[in-house]
Amino acid sequence: MKDRFKGVIEPFSNGIVKNNPTFRLVLGTCPTLAITTAALNGLTMGLATTFVLICSNFLISLLRNVIPDKVRIPAYVMIIAAFVTVVDMVMAKFLPDLHKTLGLYIPLIVVNCIIMARAEAFSNQNAPLPSVMDGLGTGIGFTLALTVMGIIREFLGAGSFFGIEIPYLSNYAMTIFIMPAGAFFVYGFLIVLFNAAVDAIQKKIDAKSAGQKHHVLHAESAEPEAANNEGGAE
Amino acid sequence: MDILLPVVILTSLATVFAVVIVFVNKKLAVQDDPKVEEILSLLPSANCGVCGKAGCADLARSLVEGKAKIEDCPSCSAQSKAKIAKILGGDIAKFEDTLVICACCGGNACDDKYEYQGYGDCASIELIAGGRKACSNGCIGQGKCNRLCPYDAIQIIDGVAYIDNTEDSKCRQCGICITNCPKKIMKRIPAKAEIYIACSSCYKGKDVRSMCKKGCIACGLCAKICPQSAITMKGNLPIIDYDKCNACGDCLAKCPTKVIRWLKHD
Amino acid sequence: MNYALFLIISGIFINNFILSQFLGICPFLGVSKKIETALGMGIAVIFVMGIASVVTYGLNLLLVIAGIEYLRTMVFILVIAALIQILEVVLKKFMPSLYSALGVYLPLITTNCAVLGVAIMNITSLAQQSVLYAFLNGVASGAGFTIAILLLAGIREKIETSDIPKPFQGFPITLITAAIMAMSFAAFASLMF
Amino acid sequence: MVKKPADKKPTDFKKRQKAFFKSESFKAVAVLAIIALVTSLILSVVYRFTAIDEAEAMRKKINDVYNAGTITPIDVSGYDNKADSVILNAFMAEDGACVVVSKSKKAYNAAQGITLFVIIKDGRIAKVANYSSSETPGLGSKALEGAYLEQYVGMRASRLASGDDVTSPSIPPLDIKYISGATKSSTGVRIAVEAAAAFYVKEVAQ
């Protein structure tokens, strides 16, 4: 029972941290850079993508033995496009202004590399339930990344937080962060922070698990060039 | 009517395109040589490009066309090399497996001629008066090999490169470090070697002692006491003949500066 | 005539597909390690964008007549995916030399935001709607894509030999380079409105 | 399956037909066709529930912006638009004001363009409001808010309608202060307003 449970939860937790689509796998970069001029946009785009990701992962893993390999790509693309159009229509009806701000980028969820990558890499080989969990995990990882990007860019670029103007800050806002150049900057530095953090944690885990296994030759020398990770109790 | 029209249009479009794809795949299929797929599955597909081809698919195709030799791909394991040779129909030529070692152990123990403050890596330091180390064939320690190694198998310890060849070694002998080291101290030695010489100095003992505390002082003791006389002194440096060496370890015990070291364990 | 010229200039400089519209960033980051691969990718993108623009423009007329505009995304992406798959086989059969240069990039382009992006933009934002202008816009945006990816490939080859702190290696340094490129391209925005 | 005695030797055609249905390519086409059928069925059904009728939404928006009472649409199909803008439609309000819905194709977010309501009463701009445009939030969006749009209120439509190419220096300088950092959005709004004014002067005023 334990490993079956792990088999389901594992892809979920993977999706968020270990292979977080935006920071680790660097997938789905088009909406990440374009939409995150405001935190609310990032959040909605993330949730819309998560919905499409879950449904398409589920359906593709259901049909994985039925779809012949020759027409694999058109079939997947059609399934994904169907869900995206549903999201597009529902959003146009119930969230019109948000639909206007996301505009062109909603149909572009279809070609968002994450969905196709998860479909090809994961859900066409695994059972529906792990695929859905993987879709959920990756989706939430993507949404978190987008929202964080949105918050930073909105805070620095427009001096507001989720649309609420911060009185004093907004007349010192650096509009560079709203422009494309700022997007690339923020995205690059966030990847650095994320990688450094995950590597540091990984190093600590290795150090703990490695324990005494260190060879005599290496033991006394610390890694000279990993400058930025804090020493940590060895 | 609103439902019928889109359904008809989309289904007919999908069918038309499906038919065209299937027709095109069937009629115009260019028979790829099945051997290419087979070989591609055996190659490590790391696409490291060391073989000079644009990735493993390209290498597989040129292997079948005879434009490349399997030795070009150093990180391919011995069994798959044998299998590929069988697919290509050639006899299983004796694939001499090799291991890569760093023939220097000086690093911080070797004095610096000048203190390098600037940009770049070993290659740029080498440009200034043959590197910052007093010993001109010693490792500069700026880590160019460490950064270029696709398998992260090289560590810079105490200012000198070290390749771990013990059982959980990550080194795939791809040879990127050999081509990129400006001092040319990364060397290939036969896989059956048990010991190796961690020095490539060409100076007499007196000069070595003044420059580097760990270097080989060319005393020649190892050559004298080796029971299999596998070691010969050539230009102030011992050379091991790995066919004769039976890894008895006498030379290693005798060596005053511990330059001769175990390869596969500590 | 000047509208065609405007399209070309805006496709390459003003609304550059990568640096100001953010479309097609995945291959922009992924394929730009070496100049030859970047060039191969660029030409393949121009090739596909040109054909896709014309085909999708025609299809859109069909959709408008049938009044089912909401199926536009579905039809476009189906057509693009099928088109690329057919193109791959046809190229392999009739033009093996071109296939060996571009072949490996074609499947990559299917999930490329730029192709679908230009297909939709041809419908929504072209001032004068005609097949020629759609084709021109496709090719110009493809050229913009190629120029941006070539510039980045050239810089990245230089970066290979320089000493970058460990966490910055790989994507982060590429993104920061792209940021500086985006800043310089932003200057073109005021070139001609 | 038990072989019925009466079963004749399957004719060559039936065997070939059975083979055809089993064959790989038929399965491929069938799967794609079925997926297309199912998806288009779902989408058309969903569309019926979520279809927004454009005109209705626009009329509602107009009433929010300017209480024009019952509005009678004006036929705009005959009007030849300028190169970079298009008049989507126009209405005559009860109190004689004319509500013009004009879209400028030039904007920062070129895919969306900028669509505005321009309300012109006896020759002067009474109000300008954003109908549907998505400029970059925090930057371009400032050009769609009150302060920038207020500048146009009170201007005579005939003066606004004169300029053809907005960016050419020959245009008499209007004291419109652009939003810094959002030149494209500000110019886009100006094009839309001037297009509406030109329409008003040509079609409605005489």
Side-chain angles (χ1 to χ4, degrees):
Chain A
M1 183 37 203
K2 174 94 178 52
D3 62 343
R4 211 181 68 73
F5 178 77
K6 187 167 164 320
V8 169
I9 296 303
E10 226 260 337
F12 176 77
S13 60
N14 256 349
I16 297 182
V17 180
K18 211 143 77 58
N19 42 33
N20 177 309
T22 314
F23 294 127
R24 293 292 278 183
L25 310 178
V26 192
L27 283 175
T29 44
C30 307
T32 315
L33 294 165
I35 283 296
T36 48
T37 47
L40 194 61
N41 297 3
L43 190 65
T44 7
M45 180 51 123
L47 294 177
T49 316
T50 312
F51 168 74
V52 174
L53 204 53
I54 294 170
C55 304
S56 70
N57 263 5
F58 179 71
L59 204 57
I60 287 175
S61 71
L62 261 182
L63 301 171
R64 62 185 186 287
N65 312 329
V66 174
I67 298 178
D69 197 47
K70 257 206 286 298
V71 278
R72 188 167 37 83
I73 305 268
Y76 289 170
V77 142
M78 230 193 304
I79 295 171
I80 298 170
F83 288 116
V84 169
T85 323
V86 166
V87 166
D88 195 10
M89 284 191 227
V90 164
M91 229 168 151
K93 174 86 174 172
F94 299 111
L95 301 156
D97 43 9
L98 215 52
H99 181 255
K100 291 274 182 315
T101 41
L102 296 188
L104 171 67
Y105 286 95
I106 293 183
L108 284 189
I109 298 180
V110 173
V111 278
N112 187 333
C113 320
I114 300 178
I115 301 176
M116 207 38 149
R118 291 326 294 169
E120 295 267 324
F122 195 89
S123 53
N124 63 3
Q125 286 120 20
N126 298 53
L129 191 58
S131 313
V132 168
M133 293 309 285
D134 170 80
L136 194 63
T138 321
I140 291 182
F142 183 61
T143 315
L144 286 180
L146 247 62
T147 321
V148 164
M149 277 269 291
I151 291 171
I152 294 173
R153 282 186 65 195
E154 190 181 358
F155 184 76
L156 295 176
S160 68
F161 179 76
F162 270 94
I164 313 136
E165 287 282 327
I166 301 160
Y168 189 68
L169 188 71
S170 63
N171 36 35
Y172 289 100
M174 300 167 269
T175 51
I176 180 87
F177 283 102
I178 300 280
M179 291 180 196
F184 280 115
F185 260 125
V186 171
Y187 190 33
F189 281 108
L190 276 179
I191 294 185
V192 169
L193 288 181
F194 194 88
N195 284 351
V198 171
D199 290 348
I201 297 163
Q202 201 62 33
K203 213 172 283 264
K204 229 176 258 144
I205 296 167
D206 290 352
K208 236 182 247 87
S209 66
Q212 330 65 20
K213 190 165 109 11
H214 263 262
H215 296 290
V216 166
L217 198 69
H218 307 270
E220 77 288 348
S221 61
E223 292 301 317
E225 97 283 339
N228 67 332
N229 72 330
E230 72 290 3
E234 198 69 24
Chain B
M1 189 41 200
D2 265 0
I3 299 184
L4 193 62
L5 192 62
V7 167
V8 162
I9 288 182
L10 201 74
T11 326
S12 51
L13 246 173
T15 340
V16 161
F17 274 105
V19 166
V20 172
I21 288 178
V22 161
F23 171 76
V24 154
N25 271 339
K26 211 183 242 332
K27 288 291 171 295
L28 306 178
V30 168
Q31 275 318 337
D32 233 347
D33 188 333
K35 279 192 260 175
V36 174
E37 262 93 26
E38 241 179 287
I39 290 178
L40 188 56
S41 59
L42 289 165
L43 289 174
S45 70
N47 289 334
C48 58
V50 167
C51 57
K53 297 280 181 274
C56 297
D58 207 6
L59 176 64
R61 203 168 293 117
S62 19
L63 273 173
V64 172
E65 284 150 11
K67 285 206 218 94
K69 306 194 304 304
I70 185 58
E71 287 81 17
D72 296 350
C73 175
S75 48
C76 171
S77 67
Q79 311 91 331
S80 10
K81 273 188 192 169
K83 282 205 209 96
I84 291 174
K86 216 184 285 126
I87 295 170
L88 293 173
D91 62 354
I92 307 161
K94 187 173 142 333
F95 287 111
E96 230 247 304
D97 265 82
T98 58
L99 288 174
V100 178
I101 51 115
C102 168
C104 171
C105 59
N108 300 348
C110 176
D111 314 337
D112 288 352
K113 278 190 288 194
Y114 56 83
E115 212 223 300
Y116 179 81
Q117 281 171 354
Y119 198 60
D121 56 10
C122 311
S124 29
I125 302 175
E126 168 71 8
L127 300 176
I128 307 163
R132 64 180 166 206
K133 289 292 170 187
C135 162
S136 68
N137 8 58
C139 164
I140 295 173
Q142 193 65 10
K144 177 165 182 147
C145 52
N146 156 286
R147 223 180 357 274
L148 287 176
C149 171
Y151 304 103
D152 212 2
I154 305 173
Q155 290 158 308
I156 306 295
I157 299 162
D158 295 344
V160 66
Y162 170 74
I163 302 178
D164 175 1
N165 278 303
T166 51
E167 68 288 348
D168 53 7
S169 145
K170 295 191 208 136
C171 172
R172 301 287 296 270
Q173 295 82 32
C174 63
I176 290 185
C177 51
I178 297 174
T179 43
N180 280 289
C181 172
K183 285 291 181 183
K184 296 292 168 251
I185 52 163
M186 294 294 186
K187 293 194 172 72
R188 276 193 197 280
I189 54 172
K192 61 178 187 297
E194 282 299 321
I195 56 168
Y196 73 103
I197 310 258
C199 185
S200 18
S201 100
C202 58
Y203 300 98
K204 291 200 202 55
K206 177 164 62 49
D207 306 337
V208 170
R209 201 173 278 113
S210 67
M211 288 186 284
C212 172
K213 291 185 216 37
K214 289 189 182 167
C216 159
I217 49 170
C219 60
L221 278 176
C222 50
K224 285 197 199 69
I225 60 122
C226 173
Q228 284 73 26
S229 65
I231 303 177
T232 51
M233 291 303 286
K234 188 158 159 298
N236 298 328
L237 198 64
I239 307 290
I240 302 174
D241 175 352
Y242 285 106
D243 296 337
K244 290 191 195 136
C245 165
N246 67 357
C248 61
D250 296 357
C251 57
L252 193 122
K254 202 68 168 157
C255 174
T257 57
K258 293 294 166 269
V259 157
I260 307 178
R261 296 184 173 193
W262 291 110
L263 184 61
K264 298 198 171 114
H265 52 81
D266 278 312
Chain C
M1 176 42 207
N2 73 346
Y3 183 67
L5 194 64
F6 166 75
L7 263 185
I8 293 173
I9 305 279
S10 99
I12 295 174
F13 295 111
I14 305 172
N15 313 329
N16 182 294
F17 238 59
I18 296 178
L19 296 171
S20 66
Q21 309 245 356
F22 285 127
L23 292 167
I25 308 275
C26 300
F28 176 66
L29 296 175
V31 185
S32 54
K33 289 212 169 45
K34 290 212 289 296
I35 291 194
E36 306 85 42
T37 47
L39 188 62
M41 182 69 179
I43 297 170
V45 164
I46 295 180
F47 199 71
V48 170
M49 269 192 183
I51 300 175
S53 301
V54 173
V55 172
T56 45
Y57 187 82
L59 271 173
N60 189 54
L61 297 183
L62 168 74
L63 286 182
V64 165
I65 299 161
I68 43 166
E69 290 265 334
Y70 60 91
L71 280 186
R72 178 192 303 154
T73 326
M74 166 80 78
V75 168
F76 277 9
I77 195 62
L78 173 67
V79 162
I80 290 173
L83 199 67
I84 287 177
Q85 205 155 357
I86 296 164
L87 211 61
E88 196 176 342
V89 178
V90 165
L91 263 184
K92 200 165 170 185
K93 172 82 176 170
F94 296 115
M95 289 177 265
S97 57
L98 190 59
Y99 178 75
S100 60
L102 310 183
V104 72
Y105 304 115
L106 282 176
L108 278 178
I109 298 178
T110 338
T111 59
N112 181 343
C113 323
V115 181
L116 183 63
V118 85
I120 293 177
M121 273 200 202
N122 283 345
I123 313 299
T124 50
S125 76
L126 270 192
Q128 288 153 21
Q129 294 281 357
S130 88
V131 182
L132 173 69
Y133 288 136
F135 175 73
L136 220 58
N137 187 28
V139 170
S141 314
F145 178 93
T146 314
I147 286 175
I149 204 168
L150 279 180
L151 287 175
L152 183 72
I155 301 171
R156 269 185 87 167
E157 278 191 0
K158 288 285 170 296
I159 289 180
E160 279 305 308
T161 56
S162 61
D163 180 16
I164 304 166
K166 197 103 174 70
F168 276 85
Q169 280 161 5
F171 282 111
I173 195 70
T174 322
L175 280 162
I176 294 167
T177 326
I180 300 163
M181 275 168 69
M183 263 195 266
S184 50
F185 264 73
F188 287 125
S190 50
L191 171 69
M192 182 170 60
F193 182 66
Chain D
M1 110 177 150
V2 170
K3 197 164 170 332
K4 289 196 299 301
D7 200 347
K8 289 197 305 313
K9 189 173 80 51
T11 54
D12 181 30
F13 166 72
K14 196 181 259 45
K15 188 146 47 58
R16 215 169 0 82
Q17 201 201 10
K18 209 155 110 30
F20 170 73
F21 279 117
K22 277 280 168 296
S23 76
E24 193 43 38
S25 45
F26 173 76
K27 242 180 346 147
V29 175
V31 163
L32 216 56
I34 294 163
I35 293 180
L37 193 113
V38 169
T39 35
S40 50
L41 208 65
I42 298 167
L43 287 185
S44 46
V45 166
V46 170
Y47 182 67
R48 288 175 71 87
F49 293 110
T50 55
I52 338 154
D53 121 34
E54 273 304 311
E56 180 36 35
M58 184 176 286
R59 196 165 285 108
K60 205 164 69 54
K61 211 80 193 293
I62 291 177
N63 290 341
D64 309 343
V65 164
Y66 176 76
N67 45 29
T70 59
I71 38 173
T72 54
I74 309 169
D75 171 18
V76 286
S77 48
Y79 179 69
D80 60 343
N81 292 303
K82 285 196 214 156
D84 49 20
S85 62
V86 68
I87 303 294
L88 295 175
N89 35 39
F91 305 91
M92 276 311 275
E94 268 163 24
D95 57 5
C98 165
V99 178
V100 182
V101 183
S102 83
K103 173 180 180 187
S104 139
K105 286 209 163 88
K106 290 198 170 142
Y108 185 78
N109 180 341
Q112 191 84 32
I114 293 181
T115 322
L116 301 175
F117 288 132
V118 183
I119 294 125
I120 307 165
K121 199 157 186 300
D122 10 338
R124 283 186 182 279
I125 308 272
K127 195 166 189 333
V128 182
N130 166 31
Y131 169 52
S132 97
S133 33
S134 61
E135 296 303 278
T136 19
L139 189 66
S141 61
K142 287 208 177 68
L144 302 166
E145 275 143 19
Y148 178 72
L149 297 177
E150 288 321 321
Q151 298 173 68
Y152 292 96
V153 172
M155 280 191 181
R156 274 202 319 288
S158 51
R159 185 154 170 266
L160 271 169
S162 56
D164 263 337
D165 183 349
V166 171
T167 47
S168 67
S170 65
I171 295 276
L174 293 160
D175 50 4
I176 304 281
K177 284 187 283 308
Y178 278 7
I179 311 269
S180 71
T183 31
K184 273 193 185 169
S185 314
S186 323
T187 324
V189 166
R190 180 172 165 176
I191 291 172
V193 173
E194 288 189 343
F199 172 78
Y200 178 80
V201 163
K202 203 133 169 273
E203 300 291 328
V204 177
Q206 83 276 47

